[in-house]
Amino acid sequence: MSIKNRIAVVTGASGGIGRATAERLARDGMTVIVHYSGNKSRAEETVATITEAGGTATALQGDVADENEMVTLFARVVELYGGIDVVVNAAGIMTLAPLVDLDLADFDAMMRTNVRGTFVVSQLAARQLRTGGALINFSTSVERLQQPTYTAYAATKGAVEAMTLILARELRGRDVTVNVVAPGPTATPLFLDGKPQQVIDHIASLAPLERLGTPEDIAESVAFLAGPARWVNGQVLYVNGGIA
């Protein structure tokens, strides 16, 4: 199947890496479903940006951790476009604190969105992706960096890596690739929120390229896995400028 004929679902596409990914896949000619949870206006902005550039996109709402809502979303995509070829699971939340101080409610919220949400969407993707399809989930380079205060967030992403890499083997014979993208420090609101400028500057200096990543940097790697990278399967792709 031509990349230009692909139907892609991007969760968390109303902002940050998800939005950059949706716009990047649309530039490749894919029809993009811009998933959002609560911010409809931002999702519609993403759709408008894509359509104004000549692409095709539709905004659909759903809680990634609610299997009924996501079943409805996937069914709607099939109804509108006939099938699904790419699923990018960019939805996620992050709360930072040392393990000893983290509120368990924050831990539970991250587990629900990052782990259960990824599982729900991956399960639906495994059931519905067409031959030649691709599933891309998200982890984090903190798995290697082991930075303090990221304990719980990194734990959720460790779970994502485990389920994704095993799923790649479970889909033997389907001609569906399953991979993980693990960004390093990336200039998104999720990463920048609450950090003093001197901390941001220090983190940016750690990579040999001496800058933070951008959402567009990450989106390029996702586009590679979603399109031409048919011989990359069951891998964690670290996209971090060489920081780890």
Side-chain angles (χ1 to χ4, degrees), residues 143-162:
E143 289 285 293
R144 286 184 173 180
L145 296 172
Q146 299 158 1
Q147 293 169 284
T149 75
Y150 283 82
T151 315
Y153 178 71
T156 68
K157 295 304 186 177
V160 167
E161 289 189 13

Side-chain angles (χ1 to χ4, degrees), residues 132-215:
L135 168 63
I136 300 102
N137 288 332
F138 271 82
S139 180
T140 173
S141 287
V142 173
E143 289 285 293
R144 286 184 173 180
L145 296 172
Q146 299 158 1
Q147 293 169 284
T149 75
Y150 283 82
T151 315
Y153 178 71
T156 68
K157 295 304 186 177
V160 167
E161 289 189 13
M163 73 173 78
T164 307
L165 299 186
I166 293 172
L167 177 59
R169 278 74 186 173
E170 291 178 343
L171 295 186
R172 173 182 291 273
R174 286 274 306 280
D175 190 22
V176 170
T177 61
V178 184
N179 292 290
V180 181
V181 170
T186 305
T188 65
L190 184 69
F191 174 79
L192 297 174
D193 184 45
K195 291 184 174 69
Q197 188 60 47
Q198 62 266 30
V199 171
I200 295 170
D201 292 342
H202 171 69
I203 294 172
S205 73
L206 296 177
L209 297 178
E210 296 187 325
R211 66 174 177 86
L212 295 178
T214 67

Side-chain angles (χ1 to χ4, degrees), residues 70-160:
M70 296 312 293
V71 164
T72 298
L73 183 145
F74 272 65
R76 180 61 175 155
V77 176
V78 173
E79 178 186 348
L80 288 171
Y81 299 111
I84 301 172
D85 305 291
V86 175
V87 173
V88 181
N89 222 338
I93 61 174
M94 178 173 68
T95 301
L96 302 182
L99 183 149
V100 70
D101 297 325
L102 184 72
D103 189 314
L104 288 177
D106 292 328
F107 178 77
D108 290 342
M110 283 190 284
M111 290 293 291
R112 185 179 188 278
T113 297
N114 298 355
V115 180
R116 179 182 170 87
T118 299
F119 192 97
V120 166
V121 174
S122 296
Q123 187 177 68
L124 288 167
R127 291 171 176 171
Q128 298 193 36
L129 281 170
R130 294 188 286 200
T131 299
L135 168 63
I136 300 102
N137 288 332
F138 271 82
S139 180
T140 173
S141 287
V142 173
E143 289 285 293
R144 286 184 173 180
L145 296 172
Q146 299 158 1
Q147 293 169 284
T149 75
Y150 283 82
T151 315
Y153 178 71
T156 68
K157 295 304 186 177
V160 167

Side-chain angles (χ1 to χ4, degrees), residues 56-78:
T56 303
T58 301
L60 294 176
Q61 191 272 342
D63 175 356
V64 290
D66 185 317
E67 65 274 25
N68 295 318
E69 291 189 13
M70 296 312 293
V71 164
T72 298
L73 183 145
F74 272 65
R76 180 61 175 155
V77 176
V78 173

